[in-house]
């Protein structure tokens, strides 16, 4: 708790403080993290290690204590998987005749699984491939899937609550259900309407190595022999022998109709040559101890991911994927929030952990590792406030919050936004599954209530176009760099709100809890 005098002082300071100045300071950390000499901060790379050193130094400067396993660092050991594409191939087999599929054009291997060297198996279309026990949805029911490859279109009917859809669409959960039905591999086709990155650009990433835990107990894709993503523009040939067309399926999906399930009367044949190596990469973990004798043993976590994609396929002659917004912006906010806590001399009752995680782009690996092997008692983590690519590209009038309706943290963020005169918005595009697509989900899966954010806008506004264009042109592209227009004062507004919400959660009498009707509550209660 702060003394009255400090309250007045910091309030005055806050009012007088210049968001332009704060925004510039926030940007200055990004200038370091997203500089070309950090080489895109790929997990396990020297650039990532340099970035981790920088963050540890800033955490120290903000008065935070080391809270890793070795100073500020917690090492995560990872297996690296890469594909030798010229030595690999994929074909569609129809009536015993193999028709080659062009890698990168028709489909790409997904390296999320430890693909088998050779697979030859029939394919079955399973609609959206969703199995959701609580809604009695089982798109695999009654199908003969033993030893087969399940082909599905991403998404699902709008009547399915977004949290459920997101959870059951996540690759690992989906795989568990497929595996139970006897499936040996999967082919996913994106609905072109909900593709974040156009295929022409997305296909470049197929050559990037992927990673998973060296500790196989933590790997959830075990047993998956085959995984491809299909270019929707060329998906028709997979349906050619089925008596149905892909166009017909898309039309049904877009009209929110249920999709039929049927054998495709073709099979996939694959030969895959993988390369394997190992790396170690660091989470950076720091602590601001709480002031209350009892509550200081509980922890509010602020998280953001330090890693990005490293050096990859060139786009417009640029090979460095700097990741300025994704997610140097969030890491910089960690530094700023910690710094403001120090400047305002906050004495929060609960302790606060600041963590810059590694391996997010490889499947939220660093956060999953920390959440399952925390350097503080697991049960003492009360909340995760995650900041990933929140996109301060225009003034902060609306804050879109993922997880808004799921826990009491929703009330906390509403209150903080109200104090700041910012309007809260719920997730506008639940089909993009954002609540499970970043590090907060690692904590949610351990039962911890969490929030995630995006700068919001109203439909049809110029801001909507700015945000959508950003995804189309800069998301996971080398142009997410220091030469892009960013609204720095708006980022400072965001940082203040995020400080405010964490401050209230850290000082509240009770720890946050999941709402009674929240889907995610099950992870906390083990139901
Ligand atoms: Zn990313």
């Amino acid at each position: 708790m702060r003394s009255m005098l400090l309250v007045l002082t910091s309030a005055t300071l806050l009012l007088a403080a210049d968001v332009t100045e704060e925004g510039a300071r926030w940007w200055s950390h990004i200038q370091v993290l997203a500089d070309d000499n950090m080489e895109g901060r790929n997990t396990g790379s020297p650039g990532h290690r340099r970035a981790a050193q920088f963050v540890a130094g800033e955490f120290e400067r903000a008065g935070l204590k080391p809270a890793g396993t070795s100073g500020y660092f917690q090492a995560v050991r990872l297996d690296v998987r890469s594909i030798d594409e010229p030595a690999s191939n994929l074909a569609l087999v129809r009536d015993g005749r193999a028709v080659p599929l062009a890698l990168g054009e028709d489909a790409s291997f997904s390296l999320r699984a430890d693909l088998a060297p050779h697979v030859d198996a029939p394919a079955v279309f399973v609609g959206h491939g969703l199995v959701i026990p609580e809604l009695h949805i089982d798109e695999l029911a009654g199908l003969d899937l033993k030893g087969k490859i399940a082909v599905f279109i991403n998404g699902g009917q709008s009547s399915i609550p977004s949290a459920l859809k997101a959870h059951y669409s996540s690759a690992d959960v989906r795989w568990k259900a497929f595996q139970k039905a006897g499936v040996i591999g999967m082919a996913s086709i994106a609905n072109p309407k909900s593709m974040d990155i156009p295929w022409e650009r997305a296909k470049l990433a197929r050559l990037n190595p992927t990673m998973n835990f060296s500790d196989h107990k933590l790997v959830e894709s075990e047993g998956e022999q085959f995984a491809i993503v299909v270019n929707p523009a060329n998906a028709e040939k997979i349906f050619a022998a089925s008596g149905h067309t892909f166009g017909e399926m898309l039309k049904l999906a877009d009209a929110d109709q249920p999709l039929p399930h049927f054998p495709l009367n073709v099979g996939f044949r694959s030969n895959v040559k993988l390369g394997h190596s190992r790396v170690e990469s660091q989470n950076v973990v720091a602590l601001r101890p709480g002031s209350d004798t009892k509550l200081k043993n509980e922890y509010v976590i602020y998280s953001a991911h330090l890693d990005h994609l490293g050096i990859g396929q060139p786009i417009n002659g640029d090979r460095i994927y700097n990741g300025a917004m994704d997610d140097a912006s969030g890491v910089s906010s960690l530094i700023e929030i910690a710094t403001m806590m120090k400047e305002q001399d906050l004495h929060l009752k609960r302790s606060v952990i600041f963590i810059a995680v590694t391996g997010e782009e490889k499947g939220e690996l660093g956060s999953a590792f920390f959440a399952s092997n925390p350097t503080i008692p697991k049960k003492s983590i009360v909340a995760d406030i995650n900041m990933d690519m929140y996109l301060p590209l225009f003034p902060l009038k609306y804050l879109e919050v993922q997880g808004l309706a799921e826990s009491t943290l929703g009330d906390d963020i509403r209150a903080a936004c109200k104090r700041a005169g910012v309007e809260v918005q719920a997730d506008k595009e639940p089909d993009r599954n954002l609540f499970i697509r970043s590090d907060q989900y690692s904590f949610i899966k351990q039962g911890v209530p969490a929030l995630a954010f995006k700068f919001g806008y109203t439909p049809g506004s110029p801001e909507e176009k700015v945000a959508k264009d950003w995804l189309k042109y800069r998301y996971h592209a080398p142009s997410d760099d220091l030469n892009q227009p960013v609204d720095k004062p708006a980022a400072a507004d965001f940082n203040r709100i995020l400080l405010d919400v964490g401050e209230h959660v850290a000082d509240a009498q009770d720890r946050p809890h999941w709402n009674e009707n929240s889907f995610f509550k099950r992870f906390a209660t083990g139901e």
Side-chain angles (χ1 to χ4, degrees), residues 305 308 326 360-361 475-476:
H305 72 90
H308 191 57
D326 184 14
E360 191 274 345
E361 303 287 7
Y475 176 51
H476 283 198

Side-chain angles (χ1 to χ4, degrees), residues 474-485:
R474 295 193 196 267
Y475 176 51
H476 283 198
S479 57
D480 176 13
D481 62 10
L482 296 172
N483 303 309
Q484 64 182 310

Side-chain angles (χ1 to χ4, degrees), residues 425-436:
Q425 289 179 330
D427 193 345
K428 275 190 292 294
E429 300 165 287
D431 271 353
R432 285 180 61 214
N433 295 339
L434 291 176
F435 198 42
I436 67 159

Side-chain angles (χ1 to χ4, degrees), residues 93 120-124 145-151 184 264-268:
V93 182
D120 199 337
V124 178
L145 291 166
K146 218 169 182 72
K148 295 187 178 163
I149 290 162
V151 179
I184 61 159
L264 287 156
N265 300 323
V266 292
F268 288 107

Side-chain angles (χ1 to χ4, degrees), residues 442-453:
S442 297
F443 292 95
I444 292 168
K445 285 197 272 189
Q446 299 292 340
V448 179
L451 293 176
F453 313 90

